[in-house]
Amino acid sequence: MMVSLSFKWPLTSVSLSFLLSLLLTLLAVSTLAQCQHNEPTSPRTSDGTPFPWNKIRLPEHVLPVHYNLTIHANLSTLTFWGTTEIEITVRQPTSTIILHSHLLQIARATLRKQTGAPTEPLRVLQYPPHEQIALLAPEPLLIGHRYTVLISYAGNLSEHFHGFYKSTYRTKEGEVRVLASTHFEPTAARMAFPCFDEPALKASFSIKIRREPSHLAISNMPLVKSVTIAEGLIEDHFDVTVKMSTYLVAFIISDFKSVSKMTKSGIKVSVYTVPDKINQANYALDSAVTLLEFYEDYFSIPYPLPKQDLAAIPDFASGAMENWGLTTYRESALLFDAEKSSASSKLGITMIVSHELAHQWFGNLVTMEWWNDLWLNEGFAKFMEFVSVSVTHPELKVEDYFLGKCFDAMEVDALNSSHPVSTPVENPAQIREMFDDVSYEKGACILNMLRDYLGADAFKSGIVQYLLKYSYKNTKNEDLWNSMTNICPTDDTQTADGFCFRSQHSSSSSHWHQEVTGVKTMMNTWTLQKGFPLITITVRGRNVHMKQEHYMKGADSTPQTGYLWHVPLTFITSKSDSVQRFLLKTETDVLILPEAVEWIKFNVGMNGYYIVHYEDNGWDSLTGLLKGTHTVISSNDRASLINNAFQLVSIGKLSIEKALDLTLYLKHETEIMPVFQGLNELIPMYKLMEKRDMNEVEMQFKSFLLRLLRDLIDKQIWADEGSVSERMLRSQLLLLACVHKYPPCVERAEGYFTKWKESNGNMSLPTDVTLAVFAVGAQNTEGWDFLYNQYQSSLFSTEKSQIEFALCMSQNREKLQWLLDESFKGHTIKTQEFPRILNLIGRNSVGYPLAWKFLRENWNKLVQKFELGSPYLAHMVLGTTNQFSTRTRLEEVKGFFSSLKENGSQLRCVQQTVETIEENIRWMDKNFDKIRVWLQSEKLELL
């Protein structure tokens, strides 16, 4: 990115020489930025001076100990200036200090040898391709000595969602107000102050923020004092932080209001939000207090800061960010209104708050050494959501949804373009690509599998040991496994040399059927190789033959990767519902049952990260079980059978007819996860058809889906009643019915919409039915326009989200194009909503060509706004292309992305979408005619 030369100073009295040096620096930075893509082998600055360091990672010659930051932002000119004093310690002799700086104009840098000593100037060299600056000292720095580096600099508030950036909101009266907030993870602290911006280079921070009297500043630590610097200018001094990574630093300058409560241990918890929405802060506040108390108890480690703030930021790209002591959130991820917010919003807010608070231990207190082990932060936080919320909010029944995370992870992990949980990364774009379903969801799933294997208490004592040992430090993958080394599955086991030994007398029916296992050896098979195993089960009398192989989409034959996993298998049978266990460490093995069985179901509750194929009549037995008395096995087991059956269709192990036959039992299903899993498998089938003009079969398939679920749809009441899962199920079923023009649903929704419109949007609709009502209302121009007007004035995230969804369901191409244009501009619809709008239109049967065209035409601007490698960009690529299933579209996608060269062709999401389209083509060629014939079969007449 070019640095803007139209730079305005937030302070009036700046010396001429200072401005001159700044202008020269600006010119240098601008020129350098143009050369970024043409990186020389031996780095040189813009004027040809050799840059003294050629690696992306910083050298270890000097280490930061403490930062003194002073930041002054001008919210009128959208600029800021700062001074950074970094106390460093020298580990190896050097006269060069290399650190990070990105899009900052360095005015001056000096070095002080000890407190009170005079400063000496440092020569500053900049190398933008690596986002680095070099400070050259006149003489070598001495090992073991401490020095202070002082840097004066300036910058523009970012117009995007990272670094120190501008955010705006509109008051009820229509006034637009500006605030400034930070989002530094993974590599954007360097956009706010020059720093050693790597997670292992931890230091403490003293932060001072200058602001106008009408504003409020908050940061990681509590305010110590405020000093009036000049008329209309106040400097807030915040307490010194604990030792932490740069990406966790945070500060916000705004006019937010807050509500607060204390935890039992005396931690002050506050929620900050724009003034008009402060009455929506209470649910998150109560949840945060409860969750913080839970974590202190669970980890047996006190939360180390005196306060925990949760701030809702009007412009925010991701869901939330775990800055230590000042977690930041998208408004929809934090604000809840009892009347307007949906059941799924309540569940989502609770999970996100629990995720960010888990990070205060996993990530903040103990941090991964480098981004290749990001999963140690994110997998753990995702996993702890379920551990914590199942205890603090039992009514939400979060444990029911965990397996959905594993299915999401498997979707990308089944592709050749997947990566191991722990995988090497170096540059910022590669680092951003690590923020994906493999790091989060797969990370959580393998931790859940390990907890199931070790037992909850043993697992907990292992992670507490890990947190205690590495507090305020950084870790690698193996440090976690070493902390678990002397922890054994909870039954008759002893440890010796880090291995768990089974006692000879343990009963084989209830324990792991193996003698020895090391946690590290076992878990390395799950973190150091990509993908997951397919377990094939063949029953011969009492003998159960087990075989493992690497499951990978893209071919009917098994890939010869040679991967083997240590798989903790669990199973139940027709004769015993107590969970049996077997640790499979070899390619094949056999276990012997006490007696012959009618059916056997492996991966009980989907606690293991693997899928299962049943040879011979194994699938027929399980399909018969579901059609007879499906409640004999749990709803999660039923959902996993649906998922596994269709995964097996993809690799030619099971016929599409058998998988579809299995779904027929859903006519009698009432639980959320099996129904949702059925929809997750069936809806994409007609979505592929929509994009290939296969109208006749597409309509027959939609009709079959409605008939399959009609009884359950008819049972739904149009009111907000029941458990969270019942309400979420109701919302989705009514939406499905109305979108597919099921007359009883459409008539009722139209009636509701008419009344709501006549009340000028003031009538209170049941939240659970609102999505269906709005989706029907948006189908004509008058209804669409009315919804959009309501969207502009609404203060409620759920309502805005529901309207946004409905607007994107329109069949009017002009309306859809207008939505893309407006959300991208960001004036009336915030740009943070653009990725979702693009994806929704990319799924719309008339809108998908518009979305794909928009992505191509605006690619460079999208990269600038959302950053190369970011999860938002990945979602947009996949959302607009991964339901294509023709060779013409495949060539179009390949051609476009390969033309981008280093501006996108190398992205993992591009490889994923190409693989997925190839798989879609293969799948449709193989299965489409079979589906057409199956839809004519007599068994469907019974529906």
Side-chain angles (χ1 to χ4, degrees):
M1 279 177 283
M2 292 286 286
V3 178
S4 167
L5 280 172
S6 61
F7 183 85
K8 299 190 191 79
W9 270 89
L11 284 186
T12 48
S13 57
V14 182
S15 72
L16 194 60
S17 62
F18 187 83
L19 271 173
L20 191 59
S21 70
L22 181 68
L23 189 60
L24 289 170
T25 314
L26 264 170
L27 287 166
V29 172
S30 302
T31 321
L32 267 170
Q34 295 166 6
C35 316
Q36 279 192 23
H37 63 276
N38 193 13
E39 186 183 327
T41 47
S42 172
R44 290 181 178 274
T45 63
S46 58
D47 62 2
T49 310
F51 190 78
W53 186 248
N54 64 357
K55 295 184 175 68
I56 290 179
R57 297 283 300 272
L58 296 179
E60 295 175 3
H61 301 140
V62 298
L63 293 179
V65 177
H66 181 76
Y67 291 79
N68 268 315
L69 301 181
T70 302
I71 306 273
H72 179 176
N74 185 324
L75 300 188
S76 304
T77 60
L78 305 181
T79 56
F80 66 96
W81 68 263
T83 58
T84 299
E85 290 185 23
I86 315 171
E87 192 183 318
I88 57 169
T89 182
V90 182
R91 293 179 63 185
Q92 295 171 35
T94 181
S95 53
T96 308
I97 300 163
I98 309 288
L99 64 162
H100 289 109
S101 173
H102 185 42
L103 303 180
L104 297 176
Q105 300 93 49
I106 308 296
R108 186 167 56 244
T110 55
L111 184 74
R112 191 168 59 224
K113 288 178 181 169
Q114 67 244 3
T115 312
T119 60
E120 43 191 70
L122 295 168
R123 187 177 173 207
V124 182
L125 298 176
Q126 306 201 32
Y127 190 56
H130 288 176
E131 302 177 357
Q132 291 172 354
I133 56 172
L135 308 178
L136 278 49
E139 55 194 51
L141 309 181
L142 304 173
I143 292 184
H145 284 232
R146 284 202 174 185
Y147 296 84
T148 303
V149 176
L150 297 90
I151 305 171
S152 301
Y153 64 96
N156 293 318
L157 287 176
S158 170
E159 291 286 333
H160 311 310
F161 301 99
H162 41 274
F164 189 23
Y165 70 92
K166 177 194 89 168
S167 174
T168 60
Y169 73 94
R170 195 179 292 273
T171 64
K172 277 183 195 163
E173 294 71 39
E175 180 197 348
V176 174
R177 292 189 181 170
V178 179
L179 60 127
S181 183
T182 59
H183 188 112
F184 292 159
E185 189 180 33
T187 59
R190 63 193 70 172
M191 294 174 69
F193 56 98
C195 56
F196 297 85
D197 200 9
E198 293 184 3
L201 301 176
K202 290 186 170 184
S204 54
F205 295 81
S206 297
I207 296 173
K208 300 186 188 87
I209 304 288
R210 294 186 177 182
R211 59 171 176 88
E212 293 175 13
S214 59
H215 287 133
L216 163 87
I218 51 176
S219 185
N220 303 81
M221 296 298 286
L223 181 68
V224 175
K225 63 175 179 179
S226 297
V227 180
T228 302
I229 298 287
E231 192 180 340
L233 187 62
I234 292 168
E235 185 175 87
D236 289 331
H237 295 223
F238 296 93
D239 214 342
V240 61
T241 70
V242 293
K243 189 178 177 187
M244 66 185 202
S245 304
T246 46
Y247 76 86
L248 295 170
V249 172
F251 35 87
I252 301 169
I253 303 166
S254 69
D255 65 345
F256 284 176
K257 293 278 183 279
S258 67
V259 287
S260 306
K261 278 191 177 174
M262 301 293 277
T263 68
K264 287 181 205 154
S265 59
I267 309 296
K268 185 182 182 184
V269 179
S270 306
V271 175
Y272 285 84
T273 168
V274 303
D276 288 344
K277 298 180 183 178
I278 193 63
N279 58 345
Q280 298 178 49
N282 291 317
Y283 178 73
L285 179 64
D286 290 341
S287 297
V289 168
T290 310
L291 286 157
L292 205 57
E293 289 172 348
F294 169 85
Y295 285 133
E296 284 200 307
D297 180 55
Y298 185 88
F299 296 133
S300 307
I301 299 171
Y303 175 74
L305 309 185
K307 61 96 173 174
Q308 170 63 237
D309 297 336
L310 301 86
I313 312 297
D315 297 275
F316 203 86
S318 60
M321 176 60 209
E322 68 266 21
N323 319 300
W324 214 344
L326 173 51
T327 52
T328 47
Y329 301 77
R330 197 180 255 243
E331 288 185 331
S332 60
L334 195 67
L335 304 182
F336 182 83
D337 180 80
E339 279 196 16
K340 294 276 191 180
S341 297
S342 61
S344 59
S345 170
K346 184 178 221 173
L347 176 68
I349 289 167
T350 316
M351 298 300 265
I352 289 171
V353 170
S354 81
H355 182 102
E356 303 316 320
L357 295 183
H359 270 311
Q360 309 300 298
W361 284 265
F362 278 104
N364 300 8
L365 184 66
V366 179
T367 313
M368 78 261 137
E369 193 168 289
W370 182 245
W371 300 104
N372 60 308
D373 281 327
L374 174 68
W375 85 275
L376 288 173
N377 280 19
E378 297 302 348
F380 252 113
K382 179 62 67 178
F383 170 68
M384 288 308 299
E385 291 176 26
F386 292 87
V387 174
S388 61
V389 177
S390 63
V391 175
T392 60
H393 297 72
E395 74 284 359
L396 295 178
K397 290 194 163 52
V398 289
E399 56 282 359
D400 290 354
Y401 309 107
F402 189 81
L403 78 166
K405 301 294 172 193
C406 305
F407 297 151
D408 291 345
M410 286 173 161
E411 192 70 28
V412 293
D413 208 18
L415 300 173
N416 193 33
S417 53
S418 187
H419 63 90
V421 167
S422 179
T423 204
V425 287
E426 195 173 53
N427 67 46
Q430 291 167 346
I431 292 167
R432 286 190 285 269
E433 283 196 303
M434 288 298 284
F435 290 77
D436 67 356
D437 280 352
V438 172
S439 294
Y440 285 68
E441 269 75 11
K442 181 178 180 177
C445 292
I446 62 176
L447 287 169
N448 184 56
M449 180 169 66
L450 180 61
R451 182 171 76 145
D452 188 55
Y453 170 70
L454 292 174
D457 292 340
F459 176 84
K460 176 178 165 181
S461 59
I463 60 173
V464 169
Q465 198 169 297
Y466 168 77
L467 288 171
L468 283 168
K469 184 173 180 181
Y470 295 106
S471 291
Y472 305 104
K473 296 189 179 83
N474 294 79
T475 56
K476 299 192 283 289
N477 210 17
E478 63 209 45
D479 295 321
L480 176 63
W481 310 140
N482 291 340
S483 295
M484 298 275 186
T485 288
N486 295 316
I487 310 291
C488 291
T490 45
D491 25 57
D492 332 270
T493 49
Q494 300 95 39
T495 65
D497 301 325
F499 288 98
C500 296
F501 281 86
R502 181 74 53 222
S503 97
Q504 294 304 305
H505 308 293
S506 69
S507 126
S508 64
S509 65
S510 61
H511 301 307
W512 297 99
H513 296 228
Q514 281 292 354
E515 286 304 304
V516 177
T517 176
V519 169
K520 183 175 172 183
T521 312
M522 171 178 157
M523 294 311 290
N524 279 345
T525 69
W526 296 97
T527 58
L528 302 182
Q529 52 192 20
K530 68 182 179 185
F532 54 90
L534 162 64
I535 309 295
T536 299
I537 301 297
T538 313
V539 180
R540 296 272 182 271
R542 286 172 50 212
N543 289 4
V544 179
H545 296 260
M546 300 160 290
K547 175 189 171 203
Q548 66 162 299
E549 59 197 297
H550 184 180
Y551 176 91
M552 198 190 289
K553 285 186 177 169
D556 285 349
S557 60
T558 311
Q560 299 304 309
T561 52
Y563 291 172
L564 279 180
W565 287 264
H566 286 196
V567 193
L569 300 173
T570 55
F571 63 94
I572 50 175
T573 70
S574 56
K575 294 289 170 69
S576 170
D577 59 3
S578 71
V579 179
Q580 315 290 301
R581 301 172 182 275
F582 188 97
L583 185 68
L584 180 65
K585 299 198 290 189
T586 50
E587 187 180 350
T588 59
D589 211 331
V590 183
L591 67 83
I592 300 165
L593 298 173
E595 56 187 322
V597 297
E598 290 162 42
W599 56 262
I600 188 165
K601 162 73 174 73
F602 273 78
N603 203 356
V604 182
M606 187 67 199
N607 275 326
Y609 189 71
Y610 57 91
I611 62 172
V612 187
H613 175 44
Y614 304 90
E615 288 274 26
D616 303 333
N617 66 346
W619 276 107
D620 295 338
S621 304
L622 289 164
T623 301
L625 172 70
L626 290 176
K627 287 191 177 157
T629 49
H630 63 268
T631 51
V632 168
I633 58 174
S634 72
S635 65
N636 277 3
D637 279 321
R638 304 194 298 269
S640 75
L641 284 175
I642 295 168
N643 169 274
N644 286 194
F646 285 95
Q647 295 292 325
L648 294 166
V649 171
S650 291
I651 58 165
K653 296 267 185 190
L654 194 68
S655 71
I656 185 67
E657 295 91 341
K658 281 201 172 182
L660 288 168
D661 284 350
L662 183 142
T663 65
L664 294 176
Y665 102 90
L666 286 169
K667 185 170 177 64
H668 306 291
E669 182 60 84
T670 57
E671 297 284 332
I672 186 168
M673 288 314 284
V675 173
F676 274 16
Q677 198 52 45
L679 294 174
N680 285 343
E681 303 298 346
L682 297 171
I683 289 173
M685 292 188 203
Y686 71 70
K687 284 288 176 192
L688 290 177
M689 296 175 201
E690 278 182 350
K691 294 180 172 63
R692 277 175 69 156
D693 299 327
M694 298 168 157
N695 296 9
E696 189 187 348
V697 180
E698 176 201 322
M699 296 317 291
Q700 288 172 359
F701 197 92
K702 289 175 178 175
S703 167
F704 147 66
L705 188 55
L706 268 185
R707 295 205 313 278
L708 182 65
L709 296 173
R710 184 173 54 208
D711 292 351
L712 192 55
I713 290 165
D714 290 342
K715 278 185 199 148
Q716 302 305 314
I717 55 166
W718 287 58
D720 296 341
E721 287 177 23
S723 67
V724 167
S725 63
E726 286 167 343
R727 293 184 57 192
M728 284 165 61
L729 183 61
R730 174 184 304 133
S731 180
Q732 291 303 311
L733 284 173
L734 293 179
L735 176 66
L736 181 83
C738 278
V739 165
H740 292 314
K741 301 185 169 54
Y742 180 48
C745 185
V746 174
E747 285 160 26
R748 198 148 183 196
E750 281 174 342
Y752 267 109
F753 189 77
T754 303
K755 283 184 195 161
W756 180 72
K757 189 161 159 285
E758 283 166 358
S759 77
N760 201 28
N762 294 318
M763 176 185 136
S764 188
L765 288 170
T767 315
D768 300 350
V769 308
T770 305
L771 208 50
V773 171
F774 287 175
V776 168
Q779 292 310 305
N780 63 62
T781 303
E782 194 186 337
W784 197 96
D785 291 342
F786 182 77
L787 278 164
Y788 177 67
N789 286 332
Q790 290 299 118
Y791 178 87
Q792 285 184 289
S793 59
S794 175
L795 289 171
F796 304 101
S797 299
T798 292
E799 184 173 63
K800 289 188 86 120
S801 171
Q802 289 167 330
I803 294 175
E804 208 171 84
F805 181 90
L807 296 176
C808 293
M809 299 289 286
S810 170
Q811 300 297 289
N812 180 323
R813 284 185 179 81
E814 285 74 34
K815 296 285 191 195
L816 297 175
Q817 185 62 49
W818 186 87
L819 277 176
L820 289 170
D821 294 336
E822 284 306 303
S823 58
F824 192 58
K825 279 185 217 152
H827 301 316
T828 53
I829 302 172
K830 284 193 168 289
T831 304
Q832 67 175 15
E833 302 304 319
F834 175 78
R836 179 180 187 234
I837 287 171
L838 183 77
N839 283 11
L840 286 171
I841 294 173
R843 296 283 184 259
N844 180 317
S845 57
V846 304
Y848 75 90
L850 302 176
W852 170 223
K853 183 168 181 268
F854 196 96
L855 182 90
R856 284 175 293 168
E857 290 178 352
N858 295 280
W859 179 260
N860 289 340
K861 288 179 191 165
L862 284 168
V863 167
Q864 212 175 12
K865 219 174 267 283
F866 294 101
E867 296 192 293
L868 206 59
S870 73
Y872 330 112
L873 207 61
H875 291 152
M876 289 187 266
V877 168
L878 293 161
T880 50
T881 58
N882 73 0
Q883 286 182 347
F884 291 155
S885 65
T886 64
R887 284 169 181 80
T888 308
R889 287 291 192 194
L890 175 64
E891 292 314 311
E892 200 173 277
V893 169
K894 280 179 163 177
F896 171 69
F897 286 109
S898 63
S899 74
L900 298 174
K901 307 288 192 298
E902 71 275 17
N903 202 29
S905 64
Q906 77 289 4
L907 292 175
R908 187 182 289 122
C909 61
V910 173
Q911 296 161 36
Q912 286 171 339
T913 205
V914 166
E915 270 190 81
T916 304
I917 297 168
E918 288 170 346
E919 166 68 13
N920 292 344
I921 293 169
R922 239 190 324 269
W923 198 96
M924 288 292 272
D925 287 352
K926 190 173 173 185
N927 296 310
F928 178 73
D929 286 333
K930 294 176 184 174
I931 293 170
R932 186 168 48 78
V933 172
W934 184 85
L935 286 168
Q936 310 301 322
S937 61
E938 306 86 64
K939 64 186 95 164
L940 296 198
E941 290 171 17
L942 302 172
L943 285 179

